[in-house]
């Protein structure tokens, strides 16, 4: 292979990788279950999965490979894909915060508003100061300082405590 041909191949690979890095796919849970994951991850760097239910979230948190969809999500994470899960707002208080927060997942509600899981036992002003307008799901025993509560209110951050 001559130098000019090699340069062309390298430029094509770089171009495809740059397109992949900027692309995302939005899928339902059923579509993800039926998709060819390798082909999907060759084209998209981010997968947005809509309307994830609580049983699936619990299987993802437990790393339960008996469910095909949970196994697919873990395999996509192992490949380095960014995974964003859409969860209905009324289900946020039932999320297994501590176990899900350990995984490199992003969450949003059904309107696309960011949801952040806070597994720590204390929510301080420093945790809230960098946020604006998100929903923050706190672990069951999380203590919220008065300054953090005031900052959350003034920044329109909704605090939801795990059930």
């Amino acid at each position: 292979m001559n130098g000019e041909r090699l340069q062309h191949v390298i430029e094509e690979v770089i171009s495809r990788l740059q397109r992949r890095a900027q692309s995302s796919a939005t899928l339902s849970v059923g579509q993800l279950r039926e998709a060819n994951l390798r082909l999907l991850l060759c084209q998209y760097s981010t997968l947005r999965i809509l309307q994830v239910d609580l049983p699936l979230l619990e299987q993802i948190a437990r790393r339960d490979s008996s469910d095909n969809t949970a196994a697919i999500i873990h395999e996509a994470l192992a490949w380095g894909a960014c995974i964003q899960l859409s969860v209905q707002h009324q289900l946020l208080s039932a999320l297994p915060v501590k176990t899900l927060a350990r995984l490199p997942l992003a969450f949003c509600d059904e309107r696309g508003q960011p949801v952040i899981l806070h597994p720590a036992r204390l929510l301080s002003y420093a945790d809230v100061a960098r946020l604006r307008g998100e929903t923050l799901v706190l672990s069951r025993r999380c203590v919220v300082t008065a300054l953090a509560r005031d900052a959350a209110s003034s920044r329109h951050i909704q605090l939801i405590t795990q059930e």
Side-chain angles (χ1 to χ4, degrees), residues 94-105:
L95 292 179
V97 174
K98 287 187 178 185
T99 52
L100 284 175
R102 294 181 191 140
L103 297 172
L105 298 168

Side-chain angles (χ1 to χ4, degrees):
M1 183 179 289
N2 64 20
E4 190 174 302
R5 176 81 173 136
L6 181 62
Q7 182 65 29
H8 177 70
V9 169
I10 291 171
E11 288 173 0
E12 181 66 25
V13 168
I14 290 171
S15 173
R16 288 182 185 195
L17 287 173
Q18 287 173 338
R19 279 195 306 262
R20 180 189 173 275
Q22 297 171 357
S23 63
S24 64
T26 302
L27 306 161
S28 68
V29 172
Q31 289 171 324
L32 180 65
R33 192 175 294 125
E34 300 298 322
N36 181 332
L37 184 64
R38 290 193 173 138
L39 289 176
L40 201 60
L41 294 177
C42 285
Q43 296 175 354
Y44 306 102
S45 65
T46 301
L47 300 179
R48 292 188 180 105
I49 300 140
L50 302 176
Q51 303 300 323
V52 178
D53 59 8
L54 281 178
L56 177 57
L57 287 168
E58 289 171 359
Q59 289 167 340
I60 293 168
R62 288 192 320 257
R63 296 186 172 124
D64 185 356
S65 61
S66 65
D67 182 85
N68 188 36
T69 309
I72 289 170
I73 289 172
H74 280 286
E75 186 176 348
L77 288 171
W79 279 55
C82 298
I83 306 291
Q84 183 183 50
L85 304 175
S86 167
V87 181
Q88 290 184 0
H89 192 79
Q90 67 252 21
L91 299 178
L92 293 177
S93 62
L95 292 179
V97 174
K98 287 187 178 185
T99 52
L100 284 175
R102 294 181 191 140
L103 297 172
L105 298 168
F107 294 90
C108 67
D109 65 11
E110 67 272 10
R111 295 170 290 151
Q113 296 298 316
V115 173
I116 298 169
L117 305 182
H118 186 77
R121 300 189 106 183
L122 177 70
L123 181 71
S124 68
Y125 175 78
D127 299 317
V128 178
R130 58 186 167 79
L131 306 176
R132 187 166 301 282
E134 289 94 342
T135 300
L136 201 54
V137 181
L138 309 173
S139 63
R140 187 173 295 121
R141 294 188 181 116
C142 184
V143 176
V144 180
T145 66
L147 192 55
R149 190 172 304 282
D150 291 343
S153 176
S154 68
R155 295 172 186 271
H156 306 290
I157 297 168
Q158 183 179 10
L159 302 177
I160 297 175
T161 303
Q162 181 186 33
E163 293 175 345

